[in-house]
Amino acid sequence: EVQLLESGGGLVQPGGSLRLSCAASGFTFSHSVMRWVRQAPGKGLEWVSGITADGGVTRYADSVKGHFTISRDNSKSTLYLQMNSLTAEDTAVYYCAKGGDASYVYYFAHWGQGTLVTVSS
Amino acid sequence: QTVVTQEPSFSVSPGGTVTLTCGLTSGSVSNTYNPSWYQQTPGQAPRTLIYNTNTRSSGVPDRFSGSILENKAALTITGAQADDESDYYCVLYMGGGIWVFGGGTKLTVL
């Protein structure tokens, strides 16, 4: 069974930093595209970032480019999101999501339960 | 800037059929956008329903179906049930590793 467990959320002051983690199990992590999606309170889903299976290629939404960094440690089956220069607009539940399998990767196949990030003074 | 459009809200009677759509403010949605659909109830993580336009994810009842209708991606629920009352999101692949979600449709079953 695929499991994705996010951690690292919490309350942070504007301008601060936070690193989210997503521990994966139940599948071959090193073969899977991984992504982060967030959801501000009462709002819809927003794709944040994605990373290829080997970590060699990363992509970001314009709203976080230059402030967030996605990375992964395949030896630990863990995905990360380093978030810097946080603002109130970054307040959201952050979900990690697994891409599809090798035959078709173009969707969000599995989701974690999410971790809440609150940016406030 | 590309905007993916969805109906903000929709209602359907129990046992009825409803079609939710996913469009673009500029252009038409086709299979090349790899449309997929997700269901979310309050406080829960999204659940994957449909991918590759019309492929149901594992365990999804066959009353959920996907298609392309009149230049939009569409999610049809046939024989709606009370527990289908949820928010529904589509997402389109823009290429180059970039994704854009629609704003979501709040479906009421009454």
Side-chain angles (χ1 to χ4, degrees), chain A residues 65-112:
Chain A
K65 201 174 295 183
H67 297 280
F68 288 8
T69 302
I70 190 172
S71 63
R72 63 193 296 159
D73 185 337
N74 285 345
S75 69
K76 296 181 178 179
S77 295
T78 301
L79 176 72
Y80 302 102
L81 186 68
Q82 177 67 44
M83 305 185 295
N84 298 330
S85 304
L86 287 162
T87 71
E89 286 67 41
D90 297 314
T91 294
V93 174
Y94 285 75
Y95 296 101
C96 76
K98 173 187 176 299
D101 62 21
S103 64
Y104 186 78
V105 300
Y106 298 105
Y107 72 116
F108 299 75
H110 298 276
W111 299 72

Side-chain angles (χ1 to χ4, degrees), chain A residues 20-63:
Chain A
L20 306 182
S21 299
C22 172
S25 61
F27 64 100
T28 306
F29 182 77
S30 60
H31 291 179
S32 296
V33 170
M34 297 297 295
R35 306 179 183 117
W36 288 100
V37 175
R38 69 183 179 182
Q39 186 170 35
K43 303 296 185 181
L45 300 173
E46 179 188 14
W47 170 79
V48 171
S49 182
I51 187 168
T52 52
D54 66 357
V57 178
T58 58
R59 293 289 185 263
Y60 301 93
D62 287 344
S63 57

